[in-house]
Amino acid sequence: MKPQPASVGRPRSGARRLPAASAREEILDAAAELFAQRGYAATSTRLIAEAVGIRQASLYYHFDSKEHILAELLEATVRPSLDYAAELERQGAAPAAALHALVTYDVGVLLTARWNVGILYALPEVATEPFNRFRAERERLRQAYRALAAAAAAGGGDGFLGDLVLGLVESVIGMRRDLPVAPAEQLQRAVAAAALRIVAADPPDADGATAG
Amino acid sequence: MKPQPASVGRPRSGARRLPAASAREEILDAAAELFAQRGYAATSTRLIAEAVGIRQASLYYHFDSKEHILAELLEATVRPSLDYAAELERQGAAPAAALHALVTYDVGVLLTARWNVGILYALPEVATEPFNRFRAERERLRQAYRALAAAAAAGGGDGFLGDLVLGLVESVIGMRRDLPVAPAEQLQRAVAAAALRIVAADPPDADGATAG
C-alpha cells in the first residue's frame, strides 16, 4: 500500500459516497458495487473513477490495476474470518464451539458486507498472479475449517467434512443474491447449526445452535 | 430450436471435437470449454466458431446470440435433476430416500459434465431476459429441495433447510475447481450423507449414507 498523501488530484466532484472514508476506501466501495452489479469485465477503471468523482489518474495513484482492486476486495471477504479462526485457536475453544463460532462469524462477514463481492470468486481471473495472496488466504481458511471439522466430528472427520462446511458457508453468497429477503441473523443461525449437524457434533449450547 | 438441415455452410476445417455430435452440440461443447476456462466476457462467438471449425455465420444459424448459448448450457445443468425429482415423486419414494437420491444425482450431474459450467451461475448477465427459463427451472429445483427437506426433516423443516441443501449441492461446483483431485463418487456420497444430516434424517440404507 502506498503512503496516503494529504490530497491527490483535483477536489472531488459531487458528494462523497462514504462520509468518513479515504479516497482509497471510496474507490474500493465504488468498485465493489460496480463489479457485483454490472460485472467485472463490464466495469472499467474509468467507470470506477467516475463513480467516485475523481480522475482516472488519481485512481491509478492508489491501485496499479483493476485486478489489484478486485484482489483487495476479495481478500477482505476472507481475512477477517482467518483472523477470527486464529483468535479462536489462541483462546483454546472446544472444537464444536469454535466451529460454530467461526461459521457464524464468517457467514456474518459474507452477508453484511455492503456489496456481495463473494459472487466474484468464480471469475477465471482469480486463477492469475494478482490473486495469489487471496487464493492462499482462502486456502488457509479451508485448512482451518478442515482442522475444526475433524476435531469436532463424532466419527473422526474424514470425507471432506471441512470442505463441505466451507461450501455451505460460502453458499450464502448465492442466497444473498437469490433470496434477498432472508434475514441475515436467521441465516447465520441456520448455517451454523447445519454445519454442526454435518460434522455430527452436539451443539455447543442452547442459543441458536438447534435450528431446523 | 430451428430444424436441422443436412448441411450448413462449408465443410468444417479439421477434426470434429466430438465424433458423433451435431454441429449444434459441438458449438455448445466448445462454448462451454471457453466460457468455463477463459471466462464468458472474454469469449466471442467468433472464437467459439473458430474452436468448432465453422464460420461465425453458421454459428448464428444455430443460436441467436452468445447469451442463448450460455442459457442452453446453464439449463442443461439443472433440467436433468428437475426431471429426476419429478420421477422420484411419481415413484412415491420416502422423503429421506428421495432427498438422498436427488442429491446424489444432482452432484453427479454437476461433477461429471465435460466442463464446469455451473461456475457461470454467478455472472450478472444471468439476471437478464435470455436466462428467464434457466432461473425459473433452477427455482423449481429449489422448491423440490425445500419440499423434500421439509418432508424428511425430523424437526419439521423450517429454517432454510432446502436452501441449505441446494447450497451444499452447488458447492461442488467450486470444489471441482479448487480440489480437482477429489474423486467424484466419494464426493457424491459425502454430500448426500451431509444433506441427510442437515435435515437430521436417518440415512435411507447402509451403503454410502453414513460417511463422515
Side-chain angles (χ1 to χ4, degrees):
Chain A
M1 188 163 35
K2 294 172 184 173
Q4 299 286 325
S7 169
V8 179
R10 283 185 256 180
R12 250 79 65 75
S13 56
R16 285 168 166 255
R17 296 171 56 91
L18 300 168
S22 66
R24 188 182 171 82
E25 288 167 332
E26 291 203 51
I27 291 166
L28 287 168
D29 184 67
E33 178 176 16
L34 290 164
F35 290 165
Q37 303 197 336
R38 293 173 56 104
Y40 179 72
T43 299
S44 62
T45 51
R46 186 175 160 190
L47 201 60
I48 299 167
E50 276 173 13
V52 178
I54 60 174
R55 290 176 306 142
Q56 201 172 358
S58 306
L59 183 148
Y60 279 110
Y61 178 87
H62 293 283
F63 293 96
D64 290 340
S65 69
K66 193 170 83 158
E67 281 82 3
H68 286 85
I69 299 176
L70 177 61
E72 186 152 333
L73 289 170
L74 294 183
E75 288 165 22
T77 66
V78 168
R79 197 165 304 140
S81 300
L82 202 48
D83 292 344
Y84 188 61
E87 175 62 26
L88 287 167
E89 196 178 345
R90 269 193 298 277
Q91 291 173 359
L99 183 64
H100 190 269
L102 180 58
V103 169
T104 304
Y105 183 89
D106 200 352
V107 170
V109 168
L110 295 174
L111 287 181
T112 61
R114 265 168 61 88
W115 311 106
N116 197 10
V117 170
I119 209 87
L120 304 163
Y121 287 179
L123 284 169
E125 285 85 350
V126 172
T128 62
E129 191 278 329
F131 302 94
N132 285 359
R133 189 165 62 185
F134 162 68
R135 292 199 314 284
E137 293 191 344
R138 182 160 171 274
E139 184 57 29
R140 284 175 54 208
L141 186 59
R142 178 187 299 280
Q143 296 300 339
Y145 276 115
R146 283 181 175 168
L148 285 175
D158 59 334
F160 305 107
L161 288 184
D163 302 284
L164 295 176
V165 171
L166 176 62
L168 189 72
V169 166
E170 291 183 347
S171 76
V172 304
I173 294 165
M175 284 194 221
R176 180 173 171 178
R177 176 198 55 203
D178 299 330
L179 311 168
V181 296
E185 285 180 26
Q186 194 182 341
L187 202 45
Q188 257 179 313
R189 280 195 300 273
V191 175
L196 288 190
R197 289 200 297 276
I198 285 181
V199 303
D202 292 328
D205 53 39
D207 76 303
T210 50
Chain B
M1 188 165 31
K2 295 170 184 176
Q4 300 286 324
S7 168
V8 179
R10 283 185 256 179
R12 249 80 63 76
S13 56
R16 284 168 167 255
R17 297 172 55 92
L18 300 168
S22 67
R24 186 181 171 82
E25 288 166 332
E26 291 204 50
I27 293 166
L28 288 169
D29 183 66
E33 177 175 16
L34 290 164
F35 291 164
Q37 302 196 337
R38 294 174 54 104
Y40 179 71
T43 300
S44 63
T45 52
R46 185 173 159 193
L47 202 60
I48 298 167
E50 276 173 13
V52 178
I54 60 174
R55 290 176 308 141
Q56 201 171 359
S58 305
L59 184 147
Y60 281 109
Y61 178 87
H62 294 284
F63 293 96
D64 290 340
S65 69
K66 191 170 84 161
E67 281 82 4
H68 286 83
I69 299 176
L70 177 60
E72 186 152 332
L73 289 170
L74 294 183
E75 288 164 23
T77 67
V78 167
R79 196 166 306 138
S81 299
L82 203 48
D83 291 345
Y84 187 62
E87 175 61 27
L88 288 167
E89 195 177 347
R90 270 192 299 277
Q91 292 174 359
L99 183 64
H100 190 267
L102 180 58
V103 169
T104 303
Y105 183 90
D106 200 351
V107 169
V109 169
L110 295 174
L111 287 182
T112 62
R114 264 169 61 87
W115 311 108
N116 197 11
V117 170
I119 209 87
L120 304 163
Y121 287 178
L123 285 169
E125 286 84 352
V126 172
T128 62
E129 191 278 331
F131 302 94
N132 285 358
R133 188 165 63 185
F134 162 67
R135 292 198 314 282
E137 293 190 344
R138 183 160 170 274
E139 184 57 29
R140 282 175 55 209
L141 186 58
R142 177 187 300 280
Q143 296 299 339
Y145 276 114
R146 283 182 176 168
L148 286 176
D158 58 334
F160 304 108
L161 287 183
D163 302 284
L164 294 176
V165 171
L166 175 61
L168 189 71
V169 166
E170 292 184 346
S171 76
V172 304
I173 295 164
M175 284 193 223
R176 180 173 170 178
R177 176 197 55 203
D178 299 331
L179 311 169
V181 296
E185 284 179 27
Q186 195 182 340
L187 202 44
Q188 257 179 312
R189 282 196 299 272
V191 175
L196 288 191
R197 290 200 297 276
I198 284 181
V199 303
D202 291 328
D205 54 38
D207 76 302
T210 49

